[in-house]
C-alpha cells in the first residue's frame, strides 16, 4: 500500500524512551518476595482476557500472559522483527531489531540493533538509534541513524471504549511504514520470526501448593511448560493475497485442553512484493539457517517442512517481505500476530472458554480466521482507536503527561492476569476479572476497585456491572472452611454468610464461585467492603445514565444483606460500625480502633446510596425482569426507613466524635493525631453521586487542605506524592510503620479527583503529576505499583488501583 506520509503521526503525549537506553537507578522492590522483573516493560498486545504479550523499549518480546491469571517474564530472542537494507553505493546491512543479544549465546550469527546511549540524569542522548513511544493501546518503534530508510513500526490491538467484541480478540497488528528520503532506490526486507510455543502456557504442577510469603499473603506454585515442544509443527499457508506461518501441535485427544491451540503470524503479498519463508528452523542454535540468506540479500530459503518437533527439540518459523522503495516514496507493510488458546483452566477440570471464542469458535483451530479478520479490518480498528482517543488528545487544558498516563494506565485491563469468559444467558457479556496484582493474585479486590474500577466503569461499564453482579451473587454464600490468618496466625472461616467478600477468587481455584482467597486478614471482619459494594453499584447506575434499573434489582438483595451484616459491628448501638483495632479495611497493615474517619465515612455514604437505590426501585415497582427475586414493596419501604434512622443517628456522631477543628481524626480511640490522606473517601463518593454531603462543606475544604499540606507538601517536600498518613508536620507517627508512609498511586489519584471536586484544580494536577512522573521516569511503566516509598522502592507491581486516574479525568471534565 502506498502512504503519502513519510512517518505515521505519533501523538505528542505518548510515553517516550530511546531504544535500548537503560535506567541509572530504577525503582527496586521493597520486599524480596515481591515481583521485580526490572524496568524493561513495554505496552502489552492482545485483547482483554485473551492473553497478552509485551514488547519492551529495547525491542524484545518478553512478557507472556497467555495463561489466564499467570505471569511469565522472559525474553524469547527468536520472536523478533529483523530488517535488511540495500541502498545504492552502500554495503547491505541487516539487524535483528532488539538492542540486547541473547544472554544464553543462542542466535550468535545474528546482528543485533545498536542501542541508544545517553546520560539519563541530564536527559542528553549521546547517540540515538530510535525511540519507543506508547499510548495504549498503540505503540511505535521509530528507527533512526542506522538505516537510510526512515522506518517506523506501529503496533496495536483492537481495543476502544464501549467495544465488547473486538476488545477481546487475541491479536496484534504491526504496521510498518518505510520511507525513502534519498535520491536513489532502496531495497528493504522485513522479517518476522516466531518460536512455536504452543502448549507452553499451562501449569506443569497439577496440584499447586499454597504457601505464605514473608509479608503474610498467600501465593501458589506456578510453573509453565516452558520449552516443552514435543509434537509441535509449523505450516506455510497461502490464502489468495494472504500468506503466513501457522504454528500448531499434535493433539492426542479430542477435547482441547488449556495451553492447546495455535499461533499464527502473517502478512500480505502482491506483485510489487516478494515474500519468502522458512517454516522450520532451530531457534536454539546459532540461527544461521535463516540469517545467512536474509543478511545476504533479504531472502529466505522457502523451506516448507511440517515435521513435528522431537523430544527436546525447538522449532521456529520465519517470513520475510522484500520490496524496493523509489526515491521519496513510502510503503506500508502489515504483519499480524494471532493466537487461539480458547481454554482457561483454574483448578483442575475448572475450565472456561475465553470471550473471543463467542466470535471465532472453540476448537483451538481458528488462528487463521483471526488473521484474516485482522487483515480485513486493521485500518478500521486503528480509526476506531483514534476516534475514541481524539477528544481527549485534542484538549488543550489537559497536559501531555496526564493524557499519556490516562491511556497507558489502561494497560492493566489486558496485562493484569485478566480473564473474560464466554457469554451465556446469565452473563450476556461474560464474566470478567482483573487481578489485584501479580503479587496478590486474586481477582477484583473490592476495596482496591473502589478507586481502581473507574476506568472500567467509565469505558466498559457492562464489564464493571458484570463484576459487581458476581459480588452480589457471592454475598449470601457461606464457606466454613477454617484457615490461618497471615497477619496474626489466628484461625477464621473463609467466608461468612452475608459478608461482602474481599475478592472473587484466584486463578488456582474457581473464580466467581469460590471467593475470599486472600488470607492475610480475616476479611469477614472488614468494615469497608459492604460500603464499597453499595457505592460501586450506585456509581455504575449513575455513570451509565441512571436508567439500568434491572442492574439495581440484581444487586438489591445483596445490598440489604451486607449492610445488615456490617451493622452487627456497631457494638454500642450509635449507628456506626466500629473498627476492631486490627487492620480491618483496605489499609490492611494499619490499625484503626473505634469509629474511623475512613470506614465511618464510607458507611454514611453507603447508607445514602442505599436509600437512593431503594427509592428508585420503589418508583419502578415491580421490576420488568423476571430473573430477580422481588421483595414486597412494603419491605423495601421499611428498609428505607431503617437506613434513614441509622443515618440520622450516625451523621452527627461521626462529626462530633472525629472533627478536631482542622481535619477528621484517624479514629475515636487510638488518640492518634495522624492526618489520614483518604479520610473523606465517603464524602468524595457522596459528592460524585449527587448524594447529600456526609459532613459540612467547610469541614471538607479544611480537611482537604490539611491532607494536601501534611501528606503531600510536607512529606519529603512534595517529591513523591501524598503519604497515606503522617502527622500535621509531615513526619511519621511511627518511623517503622509501613502503609502510613507509603505513597499509594491509586489513593493519590482518588485524592486528586476529590481536590478537583472541591475546585482545587492546581493542587490536584500538581499531586497527580508528581506521582505520574515517579512511575514513568523510574522504570515502573506498564507495571505501575500500589506503593512507592521515599527510599526509591516499590511494592505490588501491575496494580489495579492505579486506574483511578480516570476518576481524575472525570472530575476534571
Amino acid at each position: 500500500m502506498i502512504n503519502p506520509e513519510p512517518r505515521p503521526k505519533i501523538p505528542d503525549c505518548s510515553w517516550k524512551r530511546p531504544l535500548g537506553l537503560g535506567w541509572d537507578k530504577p525503582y527496586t522492590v521493597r520486599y524480596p518476595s515481591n515481583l521485580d522483573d526490572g524496568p524493561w516493560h513495554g505496552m502489552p498486545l492482545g485483547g482483554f482476557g485473551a492473553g497478552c504479550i509485551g514488547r519492551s523499549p529495547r525491542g524484545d518480546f518478553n512478557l507472556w500472559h497467555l495463561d489466564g491469571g499467570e505471569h511469565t517474564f522472559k525474553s524469547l530472542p527468536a520472536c523478533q522483527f529483523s530488517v535488511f537494507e540495500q541502498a545504492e553505493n552502500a554495503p547491505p546491512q541487516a539487524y535483528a531489531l532488539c538492542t540486547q543479544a541473547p544472554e544464553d549465546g543462542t542466535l550468535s550469527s545474528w546482528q543485533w540493533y545498536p542501542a541508544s546511549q545517553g546520560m539519563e540524569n541530564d536527559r542528553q542522548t549521546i547517540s540515538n538509534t530510535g525511540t519507543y513511544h506508547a499510548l495504549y493501546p498503540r505503540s511505535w518503534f521509530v528507527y533512526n541513524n542506522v538505516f537510510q530508510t526512515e522506518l517506523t513500526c506501529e503496533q496495536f490491538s483492537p481495543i476502544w471504549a464501549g467495544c465488547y467484541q473486538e476488545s477481546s480478540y487475541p491479536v496484534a497488528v504491526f504496521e510498518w511504514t518505510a520511507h525513502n528520503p534519498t535520491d536513489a532506490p532502496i531495497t528493504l526486507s522485513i522479517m518476522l520470526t516466531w518460536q512455536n510455543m504452543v502448549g507452553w502456557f499451562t501449569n506443569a504442577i497439577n496440584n499447586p501448593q499454597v504457601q505464605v510469603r514473608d509479608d503474610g499473603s498467600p501465593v501458589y506454585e506456578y510453573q509453565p511448560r516452558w520449552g516443552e515442544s514435543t509434537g509441535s509443527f509449523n505450516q506455510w499457508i497461502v490464502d489468495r493475497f494472504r500468506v503466513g506461518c501457522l504454528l500448531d501441535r499434535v493433539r492426542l485427544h479430542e477435547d482441547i485442553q488449556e495451553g492447546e491451540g495455535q499461533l499464527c503470524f502473517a502478512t500480505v503479498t502482491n506483485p510489487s512484493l516478494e515474500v519468502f519463508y522458512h517454516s522450520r528452523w532451530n531457534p536454539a542454535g546459532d540461527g544461521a539457517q535463516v540469517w545467512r540468506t536474509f543478511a545476504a540479500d533479504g531472502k529466505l530459503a522457502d523451506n516448507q517442512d511440517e515435521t513435528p518437533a522431537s523430544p527436546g527439540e525447538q522449532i521456529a518459523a520465519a517470513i520475510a517481505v522484500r520490496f524496493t522503495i523509489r526515491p521519496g516514496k513510502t510503503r506500508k507493510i502489515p504483519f499480524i500476530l494471532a493466537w487461539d488458546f480458547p481454554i482457561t483452566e483454574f483448578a483442575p477440570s475448572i475450565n472456561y472458554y475465553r470471550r473471543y471464542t463467542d466470535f471465532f469458535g472453540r476448537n483451538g483451530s481458528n488462528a487463521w480466521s483471526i488473521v484474516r479478520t485482522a487483515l480485513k479490518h486493521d485500518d478500521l480498528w486503528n480509526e476506531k482507536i483514534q476516534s475514541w482517543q481524539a477528544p481527549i488528545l485534542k484538549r488543550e487544558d489537559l497536559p501531555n503527561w496526564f493524557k499519556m498516563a490516562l491511556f497507558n494506565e489502561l494497560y492493566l485491563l489486558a496485562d493484569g492476569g485478566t480473564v473474560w469468559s464466554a457469554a451465556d444467558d446469565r452473563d450476556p457479556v461474560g464474566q470478567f476479572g482483573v487481578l489485584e496484582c501479580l503479587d496478590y493474585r486474586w481477582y477484583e479486590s473490592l476495596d482496591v476497585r473502589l478507586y481502581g474500577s473507574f476506568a472500567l466503569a467509565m469505558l466498559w461499564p457492562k464489564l464493571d456491572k458484570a463484576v459487581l453482579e458476581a459480588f452480589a451473587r457471592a454475598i449470601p454464600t457461606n464457606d466454613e472452611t477454617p484457615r490461618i490468618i497471615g497477619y496474626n496466625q489466628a484461625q477464621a472461616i473463609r467466608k461468612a454468610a452475608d459478608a461482602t467478600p474481599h475478592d472473587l477468587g484466584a486463578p488456582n481455584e474457581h473464580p466467581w464461585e469460590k471467593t475470599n482467597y486472600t488470607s492475610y486478614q480475616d476479611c469477614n471482619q472488614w468494615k469497608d467492603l459492604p460500603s464499597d459494594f453499595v457505592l460501586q453499584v450506585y456509581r455504575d447506575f449513575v455513570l451509565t445514565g441512571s436508567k439500568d434499573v434491572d442492574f439495581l434489582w440484581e444487586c438489591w438483595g445483596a445490598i440489604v444483606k451486607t449492610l445488615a451484616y456490617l451493622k452487627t459491628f456497631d457494638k454500642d448501638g450509635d449507628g456506626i460500625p466500629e473498627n476492631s483495632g486490627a487492620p480491618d479495611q483496605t489499609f490492611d497493615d494499619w490499625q484503626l480502633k473505634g469509629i474511623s474517619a475512613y470506614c465511618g465515612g464510607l458507611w454514611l455514604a453507603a447508607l445514602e446510596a442505599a436509600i437512593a437505590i431503594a427509592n428508585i426501585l420503589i418508583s419502578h415497582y415491580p421490576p420488568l425482569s423476571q430473573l430477580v427475586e422481588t421483595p414486597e414493596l412494603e419491605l423495601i419501604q421499611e428498609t428505607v426507613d431503617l437506613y434513614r434512622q441509622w443515618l440520622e443517628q450516625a451523621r452527627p456522631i461521626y462529626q462530633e466524635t472525629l472533627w478536631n477543628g482542622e481535619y477528621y481524626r484517624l479514629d475515636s480511640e487510638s488518640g492518634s493525631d495522624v492526618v489520614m490522606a483518604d479520610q473523606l473517601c465517603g464524602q468524595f463518593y457522596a459528592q460524585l453521586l449527587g448524594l447529600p454531603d456526609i459532613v459540612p462543606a467547610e469541614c471538607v475544604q479544611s480537611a482537604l487542605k490539611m491532607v494536601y499540606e501534611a501528606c503531600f507538601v510536607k512529606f519529603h517536600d512534595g517529591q513523591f506524592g501524598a503519604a497515606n498518613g503522617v502527622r500535621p508536620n509531615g513526619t511519621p507517627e511511627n518511623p517503622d510503620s509501613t502503609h502510613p508512609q507509603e505513597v499509594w498511586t491509586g489513593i493519590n489519584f482518588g485524592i486528586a479527583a476529590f481536590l478537583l471536586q472541591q475546585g482545587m484544580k492546581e493542587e490536584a494536577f500538581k499531586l497527580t503529576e508528581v506521582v505520574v512522573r515517579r512511575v514513568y521516569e523510574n522504570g515502573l511503566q506498564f507495571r505501575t505499583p500500589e506503593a512507592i516509598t521515599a527510599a526509591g522502592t516499590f511494592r505490588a507491581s501491575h496494580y489495579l488501583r492505579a486506574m483511578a486516574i480516570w476518576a481524575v479525568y472525570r472530575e476534571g471534565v
Side-chain angles (χ1 to χ4, degrees), residues 452-637:
S453 63
F454 267 91
L456 197 66
M458 292 167 62
L459 303 173
W460 291 273
K462 292 180 181 179
L463 295 182
D464 203 67
K465 289 178 180 179
V467 172
L468 294 173
E469 287 170 354
F471 273 102
R473 291 192 286 263
I475 282 171
T477 63
N478 184 51
D479 185 344
E480 304 256 346
T481 304
R483 56 187 185 170
I484 300 299
I485 300 304
Y487 175 74
N488 58 8
Q489 300 303 300
Q491 183 169 290
I493 66 169
R494 177 162 179 163
K495 168 68 172 69
D498 299 342
T500 298
H502 169 271
D503 55 76
L504 292 176
N508 64 322
E509 292 190 339
H510 192 173
W512 305 300
E513 301 297 326
K514 195 172 179 62
T515 62
N516 255 7
Y517 184 82
T518 183
S519 61
Y520 177 57
Q521 296 287 0
D522 178 7
C523 294
N524 297 300
Q525 303 295 313
W526 278 26
K527 309 308 186 297
D528 55 349
L529 294 173
S531 301
D532 293 345
F533 171 69
V534 176
L535 290 169
Q536 288 176 62
V537 168
Y538 191 52
R539 178 200 64 187
D540 282 16
F541 175 77
V542 171
L543 293 190
T544 54
S546 300
K547 297 177 181 178
D548 191 357
V549 180
D550 283 349
F551 171 64
L552 298 183
W553 279 115
E554 184 77 22
C555 299
W556 175 248
I559 288 172
V560 174
K561 289 178 182 294
T562 200
L563 288 180
Y565 178 86
L566 181 54
K567 185 62 167 60
T568 64
F569 294 103
D570 176 17
K571 303 300 184 183
D572 57 6
D574 64 357
I576 307 180
E578 291 89 31
N579 292 87
S580 67
D584 52 4
Q585 27 65 44
T586 193
F587 303 95
D588 57 0
D589 203 20
W590 195 359
Q591 297 176 338
L592 307 179
K593 191 168 184 180
I595 299 172
S596 71
Y598 182 72
C599 295
L602 288 172
W603 166 251
L604 296 177
L607 289 177
E608 290 182 344
I611 292 169
I613 291 170
N615 286 331
I616 293 166
L617 298 182
I618 290 170
S619 66
H620 290 80
Y621 193 91
L624 297 177
S625 173
Q626 303 300 313
L627 300 178
V628 296
E629 183 178 342
T630 308
E632 294 181 3
L633 185 61
E634 291 78 7
L635 186 58
I636 300 176
Q637 186 60 60

Side-chain angles (χ1 to χ4, degrees), residues 39 75 87 96-97 112 135-136 273 282 357 415 422 427 524-525 582 593 616 618 646 750 769 777 799 806:
S75 182
L97 299 181
W112 299 90
L135 191 71
Y136 188 81
L273 301 173
N282 176 21
T357 64
D415 166 281
D427 297 293
N524 297 300
Q525 303 295 313
K593 191 168 184 180
I616 293 166
I618 290 170
W646 291 350
E769 181 177 8
E777 294 179 1
Y799 203 77
W806 279 85

Side-chain angles (χ1 to χ4, degrees), residues 17-19 21 113-118 125-132 142-146:
R17 186 79 187 174
L19 295 183
L21 180 64
Y113 194 75
S116 298
Q117 297 180 18
T125 303
I126 297 172
S127 66
N128 184 284
T129 60
T131 307
Y132 173 78
V142 178
Y143 300 93
N144 292 324
N145 303 319
V146 175

Side-chain angles (χ1 to χ4, degrees), residues 606-675:
L607 289 177
E608 290 182 344
I611 292 169
I613 291 170
N615 286 331
I616 293 166
L617 298 182
I618 290 170
S619 66
H620 290 80
Y621 193 91
L624 297 177
S625 173
Q626 303 300 313
L627 300 178
V628 296
E629 183 178 342
T630 308
E632 294 181 3
L633 185 61
E634 291 78 7
L635 186 58
I636 300 176
Q637 186 60 60
E638 289 176 7
T639 303
V640 172
D641 295 340
L642 179 62
Y643 291 167
R644 283 181 176 147
Q645 177 185 332
W646 291 350
L647 185 59
E648 290 170 5
Q649 180 187 14
R651 195 195 310 265
I653 291 176
Y654 179 88
Q655 179 71 13
E656 294 164 8
T657 304
L658 298 177
W659 179 245
N660 70 0
E662 291 182 281
Y663 60 96
Y664 288 86
R665 286 193 286 267
L666 181 69
D667 58 35
S668 61
E669 296 184 22
S670 70
S672 172
D673 67 346
V674 159
V675 180

Side-chain angles (χ1 to χ4, degrees), residues 13-93:
C13 61
S14 64
W15 182 77
K16 307 172 185 66
R17 186 79 187 174
L19 295 183
L21 180 64
W23 285 259
D24 288 345
K25 293 182 179 180
Y27 268 48
T28 55
V29 77
R30 181 173 189 178
Y31 299 116
S33 63
N34 271 205
L35 180 70
D36 188 356
D37 292 318
W40 290 106
H41 283 261
M43 189 200 79
L45 294 157
F48 302 164
C52 72
I53 297 170
R55 188 182 181 200
S56 86
R58 62 186 175 193
D60 59 328
F61 292 89
N62 59 6
L63 181 133
W64 311 95
H65 284 187
L66 295 176
D67 183 356
E70 311 300 347
H71 172 71
T72 301
F73 188 84
K74 183 176 181 179
S75 182
L76 202 59
C79 298
Q80 190 52 253
F81 280 103
S82 301
V83 167
F84 164 88
E85 182 187 67
Q86 175 69 73
E88 191 174 86
N89 300 320
Q93 57 178 343

Side-chain angles (χ1 to χ4, degrees), residues 116-158:
S116 298
Q117 297 180 18
M119 301 174 63
E120 183 183 352
N121 291 337
D122 60 11
R123 311 285 177 180
Q124 292 181 359
T125 303
I126 297 172
S127 66
N128 184 284
T129 60
T131 307
Y132 173 78
H133 303 252
L135 191 71
Y136 188 81
R138 297 191 295 160
S139 56
W140 300 260
F141 286 83
V142 178
Y143 300 93
N144 292 324
N145 303 319
V146 175
F147 301 110
Q148 292 194 40
T149 310
E150 294 179 357
L151 273 175
T152 304
C153 178
E154 178 178 356
Q155 51 187 38
F156 66 91
S157 294

Side-chain angles (χ1 to χ4, degrees), residues 252-391:
L252 303 178
H253 38 256
E254 291 186 6
D255 294 334
I256 191 165
Q257 307 292 314
E258 181 182 66
E260 295 181 338
Q262 298 175 331
L263 277 152
C264 186
F265 59 101
T267 186
V268 297
T269 185
N270 62 50
S272 67
L273 301 173
E274 297 177 282
V275 177
F276 308 95
Y277 63 92
H278 199 308
S279 71
R280 193 181 194 278
W281 60 277
N282 176 21
D286 63 7
Q289 287 170 283
V290 293
W291 198 257
R292 185 184 305 111
T293 56
F294 179 75
D297 55 14
K299 295 182 179 181
L300 296 173
D302 287 350
N303 174 282
Q304 187 169 345
D305 185 347
E306 297 182 14
T307 305
S310 302
E313 186 180 19
Q314 298 297 319
I315 62 172
I319 301 176
V321 179
R322 192 173 75 163
F323 51 95
T324 298
I325 319 174
R326 289 178 293 161
K329 298 298 183 180
T330 301
R331 298 293 301 268
K332 290 176 67 176
I333 306 294
F335 283 85
I336 307 295
L337 174 66
W339 53 96
D340 180 19
F341 301 124
I343 291 286
T344 292
E345 182 182 59
F346 298 115
S349 301
I350 304 297
N351 294 322
Y352 279 76
Y353 289 107
R354 300 181 193 254
R355 167 64 170 170
Y356 78 86
T357 64
D358 288 337
F359 315 108
F360 288 104
R362 299 178 176 179
N363 61 8
S365 299
N366 297 291
W368 190 253
S369 295
I370 299 170
V371 163
R372 292 178 62 177
T373 300
L375 286 172
K376 183 178 181 180
H377 296 294
D378 58 339
D379 286 342
L380 175 63
W381 292 348
N382 205 331
E383 290 173 9
K384 291 274 192 179
I385 295 168
Q386 292 183 55
S387 296
W388 160 47
Q389 293 184 334

